[in-house]
Amino acid sequence: MKALDYGDGFKTKASGDDGIDGVIHEDKLGFNLIYIQAKRWNPDITIGKPEIQRFFGAMMGPPRVEKGLFITTAKFSKGAKEYADAQHIILVDGKQLTSLMIEYGLGVSVQKVYQIKRIDSDYFADTLG
């Protein structure tokens, strides 16, 4: 989340976190908290509405937080997406998570860089002139 330019945050303890894995400030000044739930599950699993409802219940606090982010390596059902939209919860599935990781260079490394070259016609115009 820091790579996406959000403010400071912290991970909650492993057990007894009431369904919240992390908390982050919406911006660098510390306005508004965002609760985060992260699930590392098999990409073939589909997360349904009940899991999102549990997360929303955890957002009720204390403290009560208006914004939530649910990140997973799996995928979401249509019902989960509809419920999340109604509750202002952002869902990031495995496909979108992978895209964000690549875009922001998180948890990835460069294997090979390719150069694509083209003819510089100005070079020939200036030297053959």
Side-chain angles (χ1 to χ4, degrees):
M1 294 304 294
K2 283 192 170 215
L4 295 170
D5 221 18
Y6 283 82
D8 289 332
F10 61 90
K11 293 189 316 186
T12 58
K13 55 188 173 187
S15 62
D17 63 8
D18 295 322
I20 304 299
D21 293 327
V23 179
I24 195 156
H25 289 277
E26 189 169 6
D27 59 33
K28 292 180 180 183
L29 295 175
F31 287 104
N32 299 325
L33 294 176
I34 300 171
Y35 278 169
I36 301 169
Q37 177 67 272
K39 296 287 186 190
R40 186 172 158 188
W41 285 339
N42 184 316
D44 296 331
I45 290 176
T46 300
I47 296 173
K49 180 179 172 181
E51 193 70 33
I52 308 305
Q53 287 173 314
R54 281 191 284 281
F55 177 56
F56 181 69
M59 289 172 54
M60 294 301 104
R64 188 178 195 284
V65 172
E66 300 289 326
K67 298 176 181 179
L69 171 64
F70 196 114
I71 302 170
T72 184
T73 51
K75 54 191 169 202
F76 296 101
S77 71
K78 182 180 178 195
K81 291 176 187 176
E82 289 171 352
Y83 184 81
D85 285 345
Q87 305 307 327
H88 307 291
I89 296 172
I90 301 298
L91 301 179
V92 175
D93 63 12
K95 188 174 181 179
Q96 186 178 7
L97 177 59
T98 302
S99 294
L100 288 168
M101 289 172 66
I102 291 168
E103 181 178 349
Y104 289 93
L106 296 168
V108 297
S109 59
V110 175
Q111 291 292 312
K112 195 167 213 172
V113 176
Y114 295 93
Q115 291 184 356
I116 300 174
K117 298 188 179 196
R118 65 174 177 80
I119 303 263
D120 183 359
S121 51
D122 291 340
Y123 172 82
F124 293 102
D126 292 343
T127 49
L128 299 176

